[in-house]
Amino acid sequence: MTTLADPVPGGRPGDVERATALGGELAGRGVHGVVLSYVDTAGIGRIKTVPTARLPDAAAWGVGMSPVFDTFLANDAIVSTDVLGSPDGDLRLYPDLDQVTVLAGQPGWAWAPVDRITQEGERHPGCGRSLLRRIVSEAAERHGLTFRAAVEVEWTLGRGDAPEGAFVPATTGPAYGATRQVEAGDYAADLLAACAAQGVDVEQFHPEYAPGQFELSVGALDPVAAADRSVLVRQTIRAVARRHGLRVSFSPAVLARGVGNGGHIHLSVWRHGVNLHSGGEGRYGMTSAAESFTAGLLTHLPGLTALTAPSPASYLRLRPSQWAGVFAAWGRETRETALRVVTGTAGLRDRAANLEVKPVDLAANPYLALACLIAAGLDGLAASAALREEVTGDPARFTAQEAAARGVRRLPVSLAEALDAFREDGLLRETLGPVLADAVIAVRQGELAAVDGLDDERVAAAYRWVY
Ligand code: GLU
Ligand code: MG
């Protein structure tokens, strides 16, 4: 479980002693530096590092970094809001000692996610990880609710010797093909070994649909740990690939056409240790609370896409009939609805039942995405929202009238549409708070301006290697 208490200047009781012991242990394992990692509003992982010997100091006082990164774009241009984007100010990055991990794919390095607090010792209002911690802790305190989450990771593996900027698939075999596993076997074995050494509980690894595409799924954790893990897993996938002369893209659309890379989020709500998606009186064993949680997500999905699919490239992926879930609807094990109700196999349901949110990609900041998904679900739960009828099969086959009759809406088809929906969604803006909501708007507007006039191929190329 993630520690839910905020970092404090000087360190929480015991932190410095713990960091001292941890630093000694890391040094003994040949670790020279610790990567301090967070994800910005645009979805880019940003870091600072400290030598291993400085870990106790970082645990006590944090490490400085400008708040300007909250309004960085994916291409490193800077936009601004009323309060963010100026060259002034400083924040302290506090490593979460519970999550310090020796990086098996990067000998000499360890990694830790950070919370960002101000120099006055307050939570930084732009810190997505702190926000998610708060939402999770409030749900536990006020409603006795906890969550389990996991982020699926899809990526395309390119040849390292491809011409600059180009994507040449590293494998030639078919989707889900045995050939592909042979072609990438040494890389994949090293990847699984690195995950195991890092304590990452991999559930599955397989070749995916698109050329050179693979997927790895991990076990569910509390939401903060799940977001941390998705960042760590991506760092590992990339690092191991590099050692094999390969290149990795997590972009939603490596190419303008065809199936993209998703980052589906699995989410379940629990009360007093009981999974609310199983053993209930509702459809497929959902309790009425789980049905209402699902209904809340459906209501807010249009605005949520500004967080779960935040890149102009996201909308090259979000097309019907590609299993990306572009219709606001739900269905049991339906891969074309935005929400796939996963019941799990008989015998495992009390543990395995969950909701898969499909219109999510890996350009998303996982902390912000999870914070807003949980808030949307809780909104439905608080209102005892009714869940409409299930949809089976591909909603793309419905005529406009049929779709309207079933209440099935197409999710935003562009970042501009998603941003409009976000602006209109008071709950999501309130969840983020004014500083982060403004940052999301400014950054999305900045991304839109950055691709203004570009055709799909150029949009795909612009974001191909940044995520
Ligand atoms: N690659 C698909 C996507 O873009 C997902 C395929 C799957 O269901 O795993 O989301
Ligand atoms: Mg997949």
Side-chain angles (χ1 to χ4, degrees):
M1 269 310 272
T2 302
T3 303
L4 295 176
D6 286 333
V8 290
R12 289 169 301 206
D15 275 357
V16 175
E17 295 73 11
R18 195 171 162 210
T20 304
L22 198 53
E25 187 197 319
L26 294 179
R29 293 174 66 186
V31 173
H32 303 297
V34 183
V35 177
L36 306 180
S37 142
Y38 69 96
V39 183
D40 73 13
T41 318
I44 304 293
R46 308 265 177 201
I47 62 139
K48 279 219 169 166
T49 80
V50 288
T52 305
R54 297 285 295 183
L55 188 62
D57 198 65
W61 306 109
V63 170
M65 195 156 186
S66 165
V68 78
F69 295 96
D70 291 321
T71 49
F72 257 50
L73 303 184
N75 67 3
D76 293 344
I78 305 170
V79 294
S80 60
T81 68
D82 291 350
V83 291
L84 292 171
S86 104
D88 304 342
D90 202 32
L91 295 170
R92 310 303 297 175
L93 311 183
Y94 275 77
D96 185 333
L97 299 177
D98 292 336
Q99 302 292 345
V100 173
T101 305
V102 177
L103 293 175
Q106 288 176 265
W109 288 98
W111 173 96
V114 300
D115 288 297
R116 295 181 296 152
I117 70 171
T118 68
Q119 287 183 316
E120 277 59 55
E122 306 287 324
R123 248 178 217 168
H124 170 47
C127 179
R129 191 173 191 271
S130 304
L131 172 74
L132 180 57
R133 273 193 303 108
R134 177 172 61 73
I135 286 176
V136 168
S137 82
E138 282 177 4
E141 277 163 24
R142 294 186 191 162
H143 310 292
L145 296 173
T146 55
F147 307 89
R148 293 183 59 77
V151 182
E152 289 182 4
V153 176
E154 291 186 335
W155 71 101
T156 41
L157 197 59
R159 293 175 57 123
D161 58 2
E164 189 51 35
F167 167 64
V168 178
T171 56
T172 59
Y176 295 83
T179 312
R180 222 189 267 183
Q181 189 274 330
V182 174
E183 290 177 285
D186 289 346
Y187 161 66
D190 281 355
L191 175 58
L192 292 179
C195 288
Q198 293 173 181
V200 171
D201 147 41
V202 173
E203 290 196 336
Q204 280 187 45
F205 164 79
H206 66 266
E208 254 291 345
Y209 191 88
Q213 192 180 34
F214 290 89
E215 172 175 336
L216 188 144
S217 48
V218 296
L221 297 169
D222 75 78
V224 181
D228 291 340
R229 177 147 294 184
S230 95
V231 177
L232 172 65
V233 162
R234 281 178 268 167
Q235 175 103 0
T236 307
I237 289 169
R238 180 171 276 135
V240 175
R242 203 178 161 87
R243 292 168 77 79
H244 283 263
L246 300 165
R247 209 161 178 203
V248 165
S249 174
F250 298 106
S251 172
V254 177
L255 301 172
R257 301 273 150 223
V259 168
N261 290 319
H264 308 173
I265 290 186
H266 289 264
L267 187 59
S268 53
V269 194
W270 298 59
R271 189 180 273 129
H272 308 308
V274 176
N275 185 352
L276 299 180
H277 300 260
S278 160
E281 300 293 306
R283 281 156 282 179
Y284 304 118
M286 284 188 274
T287 61
S288 60
E291 285 208 355
S292 293
F293 188 86
T294 308
L297 282 172
L298 278 181
T299 302
H300 293 284
L301 271 178
L304 280 165
T305 50
L307 296 149
T308 61
S311 168
S314 300
Y315 297 84
L316 301 174
R317 163 182 173 254
L318 285 181
R319 293 190 172 127
S321 313
Q322 305 204 357
W323 290 15
V326 301
F327 295 97
W330 71 277
R332 180 186 182 193
E333 301 292 3
T334 300
R335 288 177 177 76
E336 285 297 341
T337 53
L339 302 182
R340 169 185 171 199
V341 167
V342 179
T343 54
T345 303
L348 275 181
R349 293 196 169 138
D350 54 338
R351 276 167 287 159
N354 71 83
L355 208 50
E356 181 183 38
V357 187
K358 294 180 74 78
V360 187
D361 61 48
L362 299 170
N365 174 320
Y367 304 98
L368 297 184
L370 272 160
C372 288
L373 287 169
I374 290 172
L378 289 179
D379 187 51
L381 203 157
S384 301
L387 180 63
R388 55 176 181 256
E389 287 302 301
E390 173 185 24
V391 167
T392 53
D394 189 349
R397 74 186 187 283
F398 294 142
T399 62
Q401 291 90 321
E402 277 173 314
R406 292 168 193 265
V408 173
R409 286 163 305 156
R410 175 80 156 88
L411 290 174
V413 300
S414 66
L415 183 57
E417 265 189 42
L419 186 56
D420 286 343
F422 172 76
R423 278 200 179 96
E424 283 161 27
D425 194 318
L427 174 89
L428 298 181
R429 289 200 322 272
E430 214 173 283
T431 299
L432 295 178
V435 172
L436 251 177
D438 282 356
V440 165
I441 292 169
V443 168
R444 304 295 178 264
Q445 279 174 330
E447 298 295 351
L448 284 166
V451 298
D452 191 31
L454 299 189
D455 63 17
D456 290 354
E457 271 69 28
R458 288 209 165 89
V459 171
Y463 293 94
R464 184 169 293 144
W465 302 113
V466 295
Y467 301 115

